[in-house]
Amino acid sequence: MTSTIRVKLSLMMFLEFFIWGAWFVTLGTYLLRNLGASGTQVGVAFLTQSIGAIVAPFIVGLIADRFFSAQKILGVLHLAGAVLLWRASQAPDFGSFYPSILTYMILYMPTLALVNSIAFRQMQNPQKEFAPIRVLGTLGWIVAGLTIGWLNWEQSNSLQLTFLMAAGASALLGVFSFTLPATPPVKKGQSSSVGSLLGLDAIGMLKNRSYLTFFLASIAICIPLAFYYGFTNPFLNEVGMKAAAGVQSLGQVSELLFMLAIPLFFSKLGVKKMLAIGMAAWVLRYVCFAYGGGENGYWLLIAGIVLHGICYDFFFVTGQIYTDNLAGEQFKSSAQGFITLATYGVGMLIGTLLSGRIFDQYQLAAGAHDWRMIWLIPAGIAAAVLLLFLLLFKERNPAPAPTETTGANAAPRLANAN
């Protein structure tokens, strides 16, 4: 890979996740403050991510893999996305906002796979070359959050500008995509079933009782994850944290650091302990939020945010490696699609609907909320999932420590690390 291509791919990753982080983190606060949305409506808005995740395999599998070059589809999707983000910023109420953001997420979620495809096709040794390029994506998400905090958009009630910033970046990436290396379709003329597109070819893995336990735990643990995505920023702003979006980027910094340490922890602890520690961190995070706030509890809020690295890496990245090792060569890709459909599709769908209802249920007078109860509920869900997992999961044949090959296969999942 030439240095020019490396720079282009790095910029592609930076913009891809800058766009997402520019509006997604503060979406809940924007809807509640600017559009007067209810908690249920906030949940429905975040549900668009799940809908996009379910639709994405069809766009990538049926179009990008068979008919058009990936970089051209990426450009078209982001140019269309820029228009939709601009339209969302102009919406006067939730009813007119929702169609724009739903359509946008249906178009955006497939781009996560497309940027990976473009990057991998240019690499001689993805095991070594992918991580330094992918890390620019995490940096893009962090920069977006820091920019919102630095410009004080949350405190000045100017979060409409986050959509305009994201629209500008999306237009830039849309145009830039046409300068990326050619990535022609790899399955031109081939046919495939709906089941293979959704990863259902790997459904036989559920015959393994331990993997079935992990699979169901993955769906269940995404229910409390929806609380974090949807309501952390409104919570932090309501309790008075300054530049909340910027502070939240500490979660991505933590995620990055723990990701680098995954191979060491994996070899020392094994699958079951890694997954259990990840779920335990979810419980601790929500407890920190429940009892944080105020002058004496500020450090608990920071701790809850920083725990995001353990929550995500120890459960999702470890689970990805576990799935990869168990699937075998024939079903590796299908297995990754299957678990992604289960988590970001089914699990997040349930979680977003539930979290919105819980938020509305614990609304107090004058727009305040009983945040302690709002956070203790996902803490209880995560604790129940952890307990059942410890009782039912048996690590009879521990998966080997991640090798370079495993890391490469895990890389596509890391695209959703934020």
Side-chain angles (χ1 to χ4, degrees), residues 14-82:
F14 180 90
L15 290 172
E16 174 76 12
F17 289 93
F18 177 90
I19 293 165
W20 197 3
W23 65 272
F24 191 75
V25 173
T26 55
L27 174 61
T29 301
Y30 173 76
L31 293 176
L32 293 168
R33 286 185 181 176
N34 295 60
L35 301 187
S38 66
T40 300
Q41 289 175 322
V42 172
V44 169
F46 277 96
L47 180 63
T48 60
Q49 177 183 245
S50 299
I51 297 172
I54 293 171
V55 174
F58 295 96
I59 294 180
V60 175
L62 292 177
I63 301 176
D65 284 351
R66 287 168 176 77
F67 299 108
F68 302 103
S69 296
Q71 83 280 2
K72 294 180 180 179
I73 299 177
L74 182 69
V76 171
L77 291 179
H78 275 297
L79 288 174

Side-chain angles (χ1 to χ4, degrees), residues 1 3-19 74 78 115 118-119 132-141 169-170 172-177 179-181:
M1 185 195 308
S3 58
T4 299
I5 291 178
R6 184 176 292 107
V7 170
K8 284 186 175 183
L9 295 179
S10 297
L11 180 57
M12 173 190 71
M13 287 292 184
F14 180 90
L15 290 172
E16 174 76 12
F17 289 93
F18 177 90
I19 293 165
L74 182 69
H78 275 297
V115 294
I118 293 168
I133 290 174
R134 172 58 184 84
V135 75
L136 266 294
T138 302
L139 181 62
W141 186 288
S170 186
L172 177 61
L173 180 53
V175 174
F176 178 71
S177 294
T179 72
L180 293 170

Side-chain angles (χ1 to χ4, degrees), residues 152-375:
N152 204 36
W153 284 347
E154 291 160 289
Q155 279 67 46
S156 62
N157 201 31
S158 303
L159 288 177
Q160 177 189 17
L161 297 175
T162 62
F163 294 94
L164 296 176
M165 178 172 69
S170 186
L172 177 61
L173 180 53
V175 174
F176 178 71
S177 294
F178 291 97
T179 72
L180 293 170
T183 312
V186 294
K187 297 180 180 179
K188 197 169 185 178
Q190 299 182 23
S191 61
S192 61
S193 65
V194 172
S196 64
L197 290 174
L198 294 176
L200 300 183
D201 291 347
I203 199 168
M205 294 174 64
L206 299 183
K207 294 178 181 178
N208 182 314
R209 180 177 293 183
S210 289
Y211 189 77
L212 176 61
T213 299
F214 161 73
F215 180 82
L216 295 176
S218 297
I219 294 175
I221 206 68
C222 280
I223 296 174
L225 174 62
F227 283 77
Y228 181 81
Y229 278 169
F231 295 102
T232 298
N233 190 258
F235 162 63
L236 295 177
N237 277 284
E238 189 170 311
V239 299
M241 178 177 284
K242 295 182 179 180
V247 176
Q248 280 183 259
S249 67
L250 291 174
Q252 277 62 51
V253 175
S254 168
E255 176 190 317
L256 181 60
L257 295 176
F258 278 105
M259 196 176 296
L260 296 174
I262 282 289
L264 175 62
F265 283 115
F266 201 100
S267 62
K268 296 291 185 181
L269 300 174
V271 172
K272 184 171 183 176
K273 289 181 181 177
M274 288 283 287
L275 295 173
I277 290 172
M279 286 185 280
W282 291 60
V283 179
L284 182 58
R285 169 166 69 181
Y286 292 124
V287 170
C288 286
F289 282 174
Y291 293 95
E295 295 182 2
N296 297 326
Y298 185 81
W299 68 272
L300 286 174
L301 302 181
I302 300 299
I305 293 169
V306 172
L307 279 168
H308 176 73
I310 300 178
C311 293
Y312 181 81
D313 292 340
F314 275 57
F315 189 85
F316 284 109
V317 176
T318 299
Q320 185 71 11
I321 296 170
Y322 173 55
T323 298
D324 186 79
N325 288 337
L326 195 64
E329 290 298 327
Q330 184 179 0
F331 296 112
K332 284 183 182 291
S333 297
S334 294
Q336 304 302 343
F338 188 40
I339 194 67
T340 300
L341 176 67
T343 52
Y344 276 84
V346 179
M348 286 291 291
L349 186 150
I350 298 171
T352 50
L353 295 176
L354 177 63
S355 62
R357 292 181 180 276
I358 295 298
F359 179 84
D360 285 339
Q361 182 177 344
Y362 288 98
Q363 183 170 350
L364 305 175
H369 298 84
D370 184 354
W371 286 108
R372 179 164 296 180
M373 284 302 303
I374 291 172
W375 292 123

